[in-house]
Amino acid sequence: MSDVVLGVDVGTYSVKGTVLDFQGNVVFQASEELPPVKIEQNTAQADPNTWWSSFKALLRKTYSKFDSRSIKSVCVGGQGPSLVPVSRDGAPLYDSLIWMDRRATNEASAISEATGNKVDAYLLEAKILWLKNHEGDIYDSTFKFLDAYGFITFKLTGQATAGVLSRNYTPWWSIPYWSPDHLRAVGVDVDKLPKPTLVGELIGIVTPAAAKETGLAQDTAVVQGVTDFAHDILGAGVVRPELALDHGGTSQGFDLCWPSSLEDPQNRILSTEHIVPEQWNISGLMSTTGAVLRWLRNNFCQQEISEAARSRIDVYDILTDKASRVPVGSSGLVVLPYFAGERSPIWDTNARGVIFGLTLDHTKAHLVRAVMESVAYSLRHVKEVVEELGGVVKEIRSVGGQSRSILWNQIKADVLGVPVVSLTHEPTEPLGSAMIAGCGIKIFKSFIDASDRIVRVKQRFEPNPSNRRVYDNYYALYKSLYPSIKGRFEDLAHTRLIS
């Protein structure tokens, strides 16, 4: 059996793995489902123990094709920022406050005021401070605060690390590395934080205890990963300027590779260092885009779910087929997909979903298409901010569950006005993890070398000019809706608080 490397992604709904041989061929892929996330109002929690159990189940599937001794390195990335407080032996002390969790609004405001840095409730420091304020015993008992992927690598190696993209950048914090002055202002103990470690560096090897529990060989290298967006970018080959990534899953990520930072005085988008040295990632993060279609499926599409089960086809294929018969613009139906607040570009925890323009003539198919179009509108909203600041988008690479829909890819191309392409190898997060695992043991010269050898375009979708003209009008309406009712979202949040 030839030697291989394994890339893993700890997602919101599943743990996924991709195996590459030393020539860069994708030779195996598998996934393991996770239990549902516990979501209520502004909170979203998951049990980290289920990540570890699913990771081990994923390994067992891999061993059905490969001897565990042939796996020479492992890299784990994952969802984030998702906070995991652990004991010294790696046991979780509290459910993870995952990336969707927005409960730390007051803490974020306090940190912003204390430090002068704009801090959002989804950042790790705000979540840590929330634990300190509301679960003091948990905070005091915590050995280290980890992220989702750091939890898995800690269990494998006994080393508490946090992946960084350069010597200057710490993800999911408003500070470079662990600034003592900043941490004192925030009220976080530095000794409870993991060691910042450069992506692609060797963390260590699998411990004897982890080898016994997982079946991995004790000499298996464990290579540092980072949060899934960077793995996604690498796995999609967005490694040169003017290429952008649209990751359409439960949430949405827009990432442009650009040769410099694009600073936004209004803090609508993010400029962070790219996984490729000397490049920048210009990004927008949207909270519940694909999740809205999942909500629609779960609550209103029992007939289609039953039909899919009988026909052994994907229920989303049935839904998108019906949506394809609805006119462009969904006959005047417009959706704001802010079902759990929104991040880029409005950054409003209080924002909520809106279905605007409903009439007695609208059907379920109209609503499905309107949800799909709303995702494209939200991407365009971010893209316009990027372009306003000087960025240029020549091509968008579509990945994630949404990319499997020909209709959705075409809607995005029409709304955004640039070509959208799908890729041969998906999912891209564990593929990026596998590339990093390979770079960590020098089977690839660099991240760009790995990307150039592995990533291939599958299908290209060009914008339809006539559809674009229709969408321009509906997008203008979409963009005007939020400012016109922003105050009512605040009223609703207050009303719910006092009810």
PDB file of all heavy atoms in Angstrom, residues 253-283:
ATOM      1  N   GLY A 253     -19.208  32.163   2.855  1.00  0.00           N
ATOM      2  CA  GLY A 253     -17.964  32.899   2.926  1.00  0.00           C
ATOM      3  C   GLY A 253     -17.554  33.388   1.555  1.00  0.00           C
ATOM      4  O   GLY A 253     -17.611  32.634   0.574  1.00  0.00           O
ATOM      5  N   PHE A 254     -17.185  34.665   1.472  1.00  0.00           N
ATOM      6  CA  PHE A 254     -16.652  35.247   0.246  1.00  0.00           C
ATOM      7  C   PHE A 254     -15.209  35.636   0.539  1.00  0.00           C
ATOM      8  O   PHE A 254     -14.935  36.366   1.494  1.00  0.00           O
ATOM      9  CB  PHE A 254     -17.458  36.476  -0.164  1.00  0.00           C
ATOM     10  CG  PHE A 254     -16.922  37.194  -1.378  1.00  0.00           C
ATOM     11  CD1 PHE A 254     -17.367  36.871  -2.652  1.00  0.00           C
ATOM     12  CD2 PHE A 254     -15.954  38.188  -1.248  1.00  0.00           C
ATOM     13  CE1 PHE A 254     -16.868  37.523  -3.768  1.00  0.00           C
ATOM     14  CE2 PHE A 254     -15.451  38.848  -2.355  1.00  0.00           C
ATOM     15  CZ  PHE A 254     -15.907  38.514  -3.619  1.00  0.00           C
ATOM     16  N   ASP A 255     -14.283  35.145  -0.281  1.00  0.00           N
ATOM     17  CA  ASP A 255     -12.861  35.393  -0.053  1.00  0.00           C
ATOM     18  C   ASP A 255     -12.180  35.750  -1.367  1.00  0.00           C
ATOM     19  O   ASP A 255     -12.214  34.972  -2.318  1.00  0.00           O
ATOM     20  CB  ASP A 255     -12.188  34.142   0.528  1.00  0.00           C
ATOM     21  CG  ASP A 255     -12.784  33.734   1.861  1.00  0.00           C
ATOM     22  OD1 ASP A 255     -12.335  34.257   2.893  1.00  0.00           O
ATOM     23  OD2 ASP A 255     -13.691  32.881   1.866  1.00  0.00           O
ATOM     24  N   LEU A 256     -11.553  36.924  -1.392  1.00  0.00           N
ATOM     25  CA  LEU A 256     -10.805  37.382  -2.558  1.00  0.00           C
ATOM     26  C   LEU A 256      -9.319  37.353  -2.252  1.00  0.00           C
ATOM     27  O   LEU A 256      -8.883  37.874  -1.218  1.00  0.00           O
ATOM     28  CB  LEU A 256     -11.217  38.806  -2.932  1.00  0.00           C
ATOM     29  CG  LEU A 256     -10.385  39.490  -4.032  1.00  0.00           C
ATOM     30  CD1 LEU A 256     -10.601  38.815  -5.385  1.00  0.00           C
ATOM     31  CD2 LEU A 256     -10.706  40.984  -4.095  1.00  0.00           C
ATOM     32  N   CYS A 257      -8.547  36.739  -3.127  1.00  0.00           N
ATOM     33  CA  CYS A 257      -7.095  36.810  -3.017  1.00  0.00           C
ATOM     34  C   CYS A 257      -6.643  38.145  -3.610  1.00  0.00           C
ATOM     35  O   CYS A 257      -6.978  38.477  -4.752  1.00  0.00           O
ATOM     36  CB  CYS A 257      -6.445  35.646  -3.757  1.00  0.00           C
ATOM     37  SG  CYS A 257      -4.639  35.590  -3.604  1.00  0.00           S
ATOM     38  N   TRP A 258      -5.863  38.918  -2.816  1.00  0.00           N
ATOM     39  CA  TRP A 258      -5.474  40.260  -3.230  1.00  0.00           C
ATOM     40  C   TRP A 258      -4.059  40.551  -2.722  1.00  0.00           C
ATOM     41  O   TRP A 258      -3.670  40.068  -1.660  1.00  0.00           O
ATOM     42  CB  TRP A 258      -6.481  41.278  -2.689  1.00  0.00           C
ATOM     43  CG  TRP A 258      -6.402  42.625  -3.340  1.00  0.00           C
ATOM     44  CD1 TRP A 258      -6.024  43.799  -2.767  1.00  0.00           C
ATOM     45  CD2 TRP A 258      -6.695  42.931  -4.714  1.00  0.00           C
ATOM     46  NE1 TRP A 258      -6.079  44.823  -3.690  1.00  0.00           N
ATOM     47  CE2 TRP A 258      -6.488  44.311  -4.891  1.00  0.00           C
ATOM     48  CE3 TRP A 258      -7.113  42.163  -5.791  1.00  0.00           C
ATOM     49  CZ2 TRP A 258      -6.682  44.939  -6.114  1.00  0.00           C
ATOM     50  CZ3 TRP A 258      -7.315  42.785  -7.006  1.00  0.00           C
ATOM     51  CH2 TRP A 258      -7.093  44.157  -7.176  1.00  0.00           C
ATOM     52  N   PRO A 259      -3.274  41.337  -3.486  1.00  0.00           N
ATOM     53  CA  PRO A 259      -1.864  41.530  -3.110  1.00  0.00           C
ATOM     54  C   PRO A 259      -1.643  42.471  -1.928  1.00  0.00           C
ATOM     55  O   PRO A 259      -0.499  42.621  -1.473  1.00  0.00           O
ATOM     56  CB  PRO A 259      -1.233  42.100  -4.384  1.00  0.00           C
ATOM     57  CG  PRO A 259      -2.366  42.711  -5.139  1.00  0.00           C
ATOM     58  CD  PRO A 259      -3.561  41.875  -4.828  1.00  0.00           C
ATOM     59  N   SER A 260      -2.695  43.102  -1.422  1.00  0.00           N
ATOM     60  CA  SER A 260      -2.519  44.004  -0.291  1.00  0.00           C
ATOM     61  C   SER A 260      -3.784  44.009   0.556  1.00  0.00           C
ATOM     62  O   SER A 260      -4.851  43.556   0.120  1.00  0.00           O
ATOM     63  CB  SER A 260      -2.211  45.433  -0.773  1.00  0.00           C
ATOM     64  OG  SER A 260      -3.302  45.947  -1.530  1.00  0.00           O
ATOM     65  N   SER A 261      -3.669  44.546   1.751  1.00  0.00           N
ATOM     66  CA  SER A 261      -4.825  44.699   2.619  1.00  0.00           C
ATOM     67  C   SER A 261      -5.756  45.781   2.064  1.00  0.00           C
ATOM     68  O   SER A 261      -5.294  46.761   1.475  1.00  0.00           O
ATOM     69  CB  SER A 261      -4.358  45.081   4.021  1.00  0.00           C
ATOM     70  OG  SER A 261      -5.452  45.371   4.851  1.00  0.00           O
ATOM     71  N   LEU A 262      -7.055  45.583   2.232  1.00  0.00           N
ATOM     72  CA  LEU A 262      -8.050  46.608   1.892  1.00  0.00           C
ATOM     73  C   LEU A 262      -8.730  47.034   3.182  1.00  0.00           C
ATOM     74  O   LEU A 262      -9.606  46.330   3.703  1.00  0.00           O
ATOM     75  CB  LEU A 262      -9.086  46.067   0.897  1.00  0.00           C
ATOM     76  CG  LEU A 262      -8.584  45.672  -0.490  1.00  0.00           C
ATOM     77  CD1 LEU A 262      -9.736  45.128  -1.332  1.00  0.00           C
ATOM     78  CD2 LEU A 262      -7.927  46.844  -1.196  1.00  0.00           C
ATOM     79  N   GLU A 263      -8.301  48.151   3.727  1.00  0.00           N
ATOM     80  CA  GLU A 263      -8.838  48.595   5.005  1.00  0.00           C
ATOM     81  C   GLU A 263     -10.171  49.308   4.802  1.00  0.00           C
ATOM     82  O   GLU A 263     -10.291  50.194   3.958  1.00  0.00           O
ATOM     83  CB  GLU A 263      -7.841  49.522   5.689  1.00  0.00           C
ATOM     84  CG  GLU A 263      -6.506  48.851   6.002  1.00  0.00           C
ATOM     85  CD  GLU A 263      -6.650  47.592   6.830  1.00  0.00           C
ATOM     86  OE1 GLU A 263      -7.543  47.564   7.722  1.00  0.00           O
ATOM     87  OE2 GLU A 263      -5.896  46.625   6.602  1.00  0.00           O
ATOM     88  N   ASP A 264     -11.166  48.898   5.579  1.00  0.00           N
ATOM     89  CA  ASP A 264     -12.500  49.467   5.482  1.00  0.00           C
ATOM     90  C   ASP A 264     -12.800  50.273   6.736  1.00  0.00           C
ATOM     91  O   ASP A 264     -12.971  49.701   7.816  1.00  0.00           O
ATOM     92  CB  ASP A 264     -13.526  48.339   5.323  1.00  0.00           C
ATOM     93  CG  ASP A 264     -14.948  48.859   5.175  1.00  0.00           C
ATOM     94  OD1 ASP A 264     -15.107  50.078   4.962  1.00  0.00           O
ATOM     95  OD2 ASP A 264     -15.889  48.046   5.282  1.00  0.00           O
ATOM     96  N   PRO A 265     -12.887  51.591   6.629  1.00  0.00           N
ATOM     97  CA  PRO A 265     -13.176  52.415   7.814  1.00  0.00           C
ATOM     98  C   PRO A 265     -14.499  52.054   8.486  1.00  0.00           C
ATOM     99  O   PRO A 265     -14.679  52.298   9.679  1.00  0.00           O
ATOM    100  CB  PRO A 265     -13.220  53.841   7.249  1.00  0.00           C
ATOM    101  CG  PRO A 265     -12.462  53.786   5.975  1.00  0.00           C
ATOM    102  CD  PRO A 265     -12.697  52.417   5.423  1.00  0.00           C
ATOM    103  N   GLN A 266     -15.425  51.450   7.725  1.00  0.00           N
ATOM    104  CA  GLN A 266     -16.728  51.088   8.287  1.00  0.00           C
ATOM    105  C   GLN A 266     -16.759  49.651   8.831  1.00  0.00           C
ATOM    106  O   GLN A 266     -17.806  49.185   9.294  1.00  0.00           O
ATOM    107  CB  GLN A 266     -17.811  51.256   7.224  1.00  0.00           C
ATOM    108  CG  GLN A 266     -17.954  52.681   6.707  1.00  0.00           C
ATOM    109  CD  GLN A 266     -19.026  52.804   5.645  1.00  0.00           C
ATOM    110  OE1 GLN A 266     -20.164  52.361   5.824  1.00  0.00           O
ATOM    111  NE2 GLN A 266     -18.667  53.407   4.512  1.00  0.00           N
ATOM    112  N   ASN A 267     -15.629  48.939   8.722  1.00  0.00           N
ATOM    113  CA  ASN A 267     -15.519  47.578   9.268  1.00  0.00           C
ATOM    114  C   ASN A 267     -16.579  46.622   8.715  1.00  0.00           C
ATOM    115  O   ASN A 267     -17.080  45.750   9.429  1.00  0.00           O
ATOM    116  CB  ASN A 267     -15.606  47.608  10.799  1.00  0.00           C
ATOM    117  CG  ASN A 267     -14.458  48.345  11.432  1.00  0.00           C
ATOM    118  OD1 ASN A 267     -13.295  48.066  11.137  1.00  0.00           O
ATOM    119  ND2 ASN A 267     -14.758  49.299  12.296  1.00  0.00           N
ATOM    120  N   ARG A 268     -16.901  46.765   7.430  1.00  0.00           N
ATOM    121  CA  ARG A 268     -17.903  45.892   6.833  1.00  0.00           C
ATOM    122  C   ARG A 268     -17.328  44.547   6.399  1.00  0.00           C
ATOM    123  O   ARG A 268     -18.025  43.529   6.390  1.00  0.00           O
ATOM    124  CB  ARG A 268     -18.543  46.591   5.626  1.00  0.00           C
ATOM    125  CG  ARG A 268     -19.368  47.817   5.984  1.00  0.00           C
ATOM    126  CD  ARG A 268     -19.661  48.664   4.761  1.00  0.00           C
ATOM    127  NE  ARG A 268     -18.418  49.233   4.210  1.00  0.00           N
ATOM    128  CZ  ARG A 268     -18.362  49.966   3.106  1.00  0.00           C
ATOM    129  NH1 ARG A 268     -19.469  50.202   2.421  1.00  0.00           N
ATOM    130  NH2 ARG A 268     -17.210  50.457   2.682  1.00  0.00           N
ATOM    131  N   ILE A 269     -16.061  44.544   6.008  1.00  0.00           N
ATOM    132  CA  ILE A 269     -15.402  43.324   5.565  1.00  0.00           C
ATOM    133  C   ILE A 269     -14.106  43.142   6.346  1.00  0.00           C
ATOM    134  O   ILE A 269     -13.696  44.027   7.114  1.00  0.00           O
ATOM    135  CB  ILE A 269     -15.099  43.350   4.054  1.00  0.00           C
ATOM    136  CG1 ILE A 269     -14.182  44.527   3.716  1.00  0.00           C
ATOM    137  CG2 ILE A 269     -16.393  43.379   3.245  1.00  0.00           C
ATOM    138  CD1 ILE A 269     -13.589  44.457   2.346  1.00  0.00           C
ATOM    139  N   LEU A 270     -13.453  42.009   6.133  1.00  0.00           N
ATOM    140  CA  LEU A 270     -12.234  41.680   6.851  1.00  0.00           C
ATOM    141  C   LEU A 270     -11.056  41.595   5.883  1.00  0.00           C
ATOM    142  O   LEU A 270     -11.190  41.064   4.777  1.00  0.00           O
ATOM    143  CB  LEU A 270     -12.385  40.334   7.568  1.00  0.00           C
ATOM    144  CG  LEU A 270     -13.596  40.178   8.492  1.00  0.00           C
ATOM    145  CD1 LEU A 270     -13.699  38.743   8.977  1.00  0.00           C
ATOM    146  CD2 LEU A 270     -13.522  41.140   9.658  1.00  0.00           C
ATOM    147  N   SER A 271      -9.912  42.097   6.309  1.00  0.00           N
ATOM    148  CA  SER A 271      -8.659  41.906   5.576  1.00  0.00           C
ATOM    149  C   SER A 271      -7.706  41.159   6.493  1.00  0.00           C
ATOM    150  O   SER A 271      -7.304  41.677   7.535  1.00  0.00           O
ATOM    151  CB  SER A 271      -8.036  43.248   5.175  1.00  0.00           C
ATOM    152  OG  SER A 271      -8.707  43.830   4.089  1.00  0.00           O
ATOM    153  N   THR A 272      -7.369  39.942   6.110  1.00  0.00           N
ATOM    154  CA  THR A 272      -6.460  39.122   6.907  1.00  0.00           C
ATOM    155  C   THR A 272      -5.394  38.550   5.990  1.00  0.00           C
ATOM    156  O   THR A 272      -5.570  38.502   4.763  1.00  0.00           O
ATOM    157  CB  THR A 272      -7.208  37.972   7.599  1.00  0.00           C
ATOM    158  OG1 THR A 272      -7.886  37.175   6.608  1.00  0.00           O
ATOM    159  CG2 THR A 272      -8.229  38.496   8.590  1.00  0.00           C
ATOM    160  N   GLU A 273      -4.322  38.109   6.590  1.00  0.00           N
ATOM    161  CA  GLU A 273      -3.276  37.506   5.773  1.00  0.00           C
ATOM    162  C   GLU A 273      -3.771  36.197   5.167  1.00  0.00           C
ATOM    163  O   GLU A 273      -4.516  35.443   5.795  1.00  0.00           O
ATOM    164  CB  GLU A 273      -2.018  37.310   6.610  1.00  0.00           C
ATOM    165  CG  GLU A 273      -1.356  38.658   6.919  1.00  0.00           C
ATOM    166  CD  GLU A 273      -0.181  38.530   7.854  1.00  0.00           C
ATOM    167  OE1 GLU A 273      -0.273  37.760   8.819  1.00  0.00           O
ATOM    168  OE2 GLU A 273       0.833  39.210   7.622  1.00  0.00           O
ATOM    169  N   HIS A 274      -3.363  35.952   3.967  1.00  0.00           N
ATOM    170  CA  HIS A 274      -3.765  34.779   3.198  1.00  0.00           C
ATOM    171  C   HIS A 274      -2.918  33.591   3.620  1.00  0.00           C
ATOM    172  O   HIS A 274      -1.839  33.741   4.178  1.00  0.00           O
ATOM    173  CB  HIS A 274      -3.542  35.101   1.707  1.00  0.00           C
ATOM    174  CG  HIS A 274      -4.278  34.235   0.750  1.00  0.00           C
ATOM    175  ND1 HIS A 274      -3.861  32.969   0.412  1.00  0.00           N
ATOM    176  CD2 HIS A 274      -5.406  34.450   0.018  1.00  0.00           C
ATOM    177  CE1 HIS A 274      -4.683  32.460  -0.479  1.00  0.00           C
ATOM    178  NE2 HIS A 274      -5.640  33.338  -0.733  1.00  0.00           N
ATOM    179  N   ILE A 275      -3.404  32.397   3.335  1.00  0.00           N
ATOM    180  CA  ILE A 275      -2.601  31.210   3.617  1.00  0.00           C
ATOM    181  C   ILE A 275      -1.340  31.174   2.753  1.00  0.00           C
ATOM    182  O   ILE A 275      -0.320  30.609   3.134  1.00  0.00           O
ATOM    183  CB  ILE A 275      -3.440  29.920   3.442  1.00  0.00           C
ATOM    184  CG1 ILE A 275      -2.685  28.719   4.019  1.00  0.00           C
ATOM    185  CG2 ILE A 275      -3.828  29.702   1.968  1.00  0.00           C
ATOM    186  CD1 ILE A 275      -3.536  27.473   4.142  1.00  0.00           C
ATOM    187  N   VAL A 276      -1.401  31.827   1.571  1.00  0.00           N
ATOM    188  CA  VAL A 276      -0.214  31.956   0.716  1.00  0.00           C
ATOM    189  C   VAL A 276       0.575  33.187   1.174  1.00  0.00           C
ATOM    190  O   VAL A 276       0.012  34.286   1.237  1.00  0.00           O
ATOM    191  CB  VAL A 276      -0.605  32.101  -0.767  1.00  0.00           C
ATOM    192  CG1 VAL A 276       0.618  32.405  -1.626  1.00  0.00           C
ATOM    193  CG2 VAL A 276      -1.293  30.829  -1.254  1.00  0.00           C
ATOM    194  N   PRO A 277       1.847  33.048   1.501  1.00  0.00           N
ATOM    195  CA  PRO A 277       2.631  34.195   1.967  1.00  0.00           C
ATOM    196  C   PRO A 277       2.602  35.361   0.973  1.00  0.00           C
ATOM    197  O   PRO A 277       2.572  35.163  -0.238  1.00  0.00           O
ATOM    198  CB  PRO A 277       4.048  33.620   2.102  1.00  0.00           C
ATOM    199  CG  PRO A 277       3.835  32.153   2.323  1.00  0.00           C
ATOM    200  CD  PRO A 277       2.622  31.800   1.517  1.00  0.00           C
ATOM    201  N   GLU A 278       2.561  36.568   1.518  1.00  0.00           N
ATOM    202  CA  GLU A 278       2.605  37.823   0.762  1.00  0.00           C
ATOM    203  C   GLU A 278       1.328  38.106  -0.028  1.00  0.00           C
ATOM    204  O   GLU A 278       1.309  38.979  -0.885  1.00  0.00           O
ATOM    205  CB  GLU A 278       3.837  37.875  -0.157  1.00  0.00           C
ATOM    206  CG  GLU A 278       5.158  37.767   0.614  1.00  0.00           C
ATOM    207  CD  GLU A 278       6.366  37.873  -0.290  1.00  0.00           C
ATOM    208  OE1 GLU A 278       6.187  38.070  -1.503  1.00  0.00           O
ATOM    209  OE2 GLU A 278       7.481  37.735   0.231  1.00  0.00           O
ATOM    210  N   GLN A 279       0.263  37.363   0.251  1.00  0.00           N
ATOM    211  CA  GLN A 279      -1.053  37.673  -0.298  1.00  0.00           C
ATOM    212  C   GLN A 279      -2.006  37.975   0.861  1.00  0.00           C
ATOM    213  O   GLN A 279      -1.734  37.625   2.007  1.00  0.00           O
ATOM    214  CB  GLN A 279      -1.600  36.512  -1.140  1.00  0.00           C
ATOM    215  CG  GLN A 279      -0.742  36.118  -2.321  1.00  0.00           C
ATOM    216  CD  GLN A 279      -0.708  37.179  -3.413  1.00  0.00           C
ATOM    217  OE1 GLN A 279      -1.525  38.085  -3.448  1.00  0.00           O
ATOM    218  NE2 GLN A 279       0.270  37.071  -4.312  1.00  0.00           N
ATOM    219  N   TRP A 280      -3.108  38.622   0.528  1.00  0.00           N
ATOM    220  CA  TRP A 280      -4.114  38.948   1.536  1.00  0.00           C
ATOM    221  C   TRP A 280      -5.449  38.321   1.172  1.00  0.00           C
ATOM    222  O   TRP A 280      -5.766  38.131  -0.014  1.00  0.00           O
ATOM    223  CB  TRP A 280      -4.263  40.467   1.664  1.00  0.00           C
ATOM    224  CG  TRP A 280      -3.126  41.066   2.430  1.00  0.00           C
ATOM    225  CD1 TRP A 280      -1.858  41.322   1.968  1.00  0.00           C
ATOM    226  CD2 TRP A 280      -3.128  41.455   3.800  1.00  0.00           C
ATOM    227  NE1 TRP A 280      -1.079  41.847   2.965  1.00  0.00           N
ATOM    228  CE2 TRP A 280      -1.827  41.950   4.102  1.00  0.00           C
ATOM    229  CE3 TRP A 280      -4.095  41.461   4.803  1.00  0.00           C
ATOM    230  CZ2 TRP A 280      -1.476  42.419   5.365  1.00  0.00           C
ATOM    231  CZ3 TRP A 280      -3.756  41.935   6.060  1.00  0.00           C
ATOM    232  CH2 TRP A 280      -2.462  42.407   6.334  1.00  0.00           C
ATOM    233  N   ASN A 281      -6.209  38.013   2.193  1.00  0.00           N
ATOM    234  CA  ASN A 281      -7.550  37.481   2.004  1.00  0.00           C
ATOM    235  C   ASN A 281      -8.558  38.555   2.406  1.00  0.00           C
ATOM    236  O   ASN A 281      -8.603  38.987   3.557  1.00  0.00           O
ATOM    237  CB  ASN A 281      -7.754  36.231   2.863  1.00  0.00           C
ATOM    238  CG  ASN A 281      -9.126  35.633   2.663  1.00  0.00           C
ATOM    239  OD1 ASN A 281      -9.553  35.431   1.530  1.00  0.00           O
ATOM    240  ND2 ASN A 281      -9.829  35.351   3.744  1.00  0.00           N
ATOM    241  N   ILE A 282      -9.341  38.987   1.431  1.00  0.00           N
ATOM    242  CA  ILE A 282     -10.366  39.993   1.659  1.00  0.00           C
ATOM    243  C   ILE A 282     -11.694  39.250   1.731  1.00  0.00           C
ATOM    244  O   ILE A 282     -12.115  38.627   0.754  1.00  0.00           O
ATOM    245  CB  ILE A 282     -10.399  41.042   0.524  1.00  0.00           C
ATOM    246  CG1 ILE A 282      -8.966  41.490   0.168  1.00  0.00           C
ATOM    247  CG2 ILE A 282     -11.290  42.198   0.906  1.00  0.00           C
ATOM    248  CD1 ILE A 282      -8.184  42.091   1.325  1.00  0.00           C
ATOM    249  N   SER A 283     -12.346  39.309   2.872  1.00  0.00           N
ATOM    250  CA  SER A 283     -13.450  38.372   3.073  1.00  0.00           C
ATOM    251  C   SER A 283     -14.683  39.006   3.675  1.00  0.00           C
ATOM    252  O   SER A 283     -14.633  40.042   4.340  1.00  0.00           O
ATOM    253  CB  SER A 283     -12.997  37.214   3.976  1.00  0.00           C
ATOM    254  OG  SER A 283     -12.651  37.686   5.264  1.00  0.00           O
TER     255      SER A 283
END
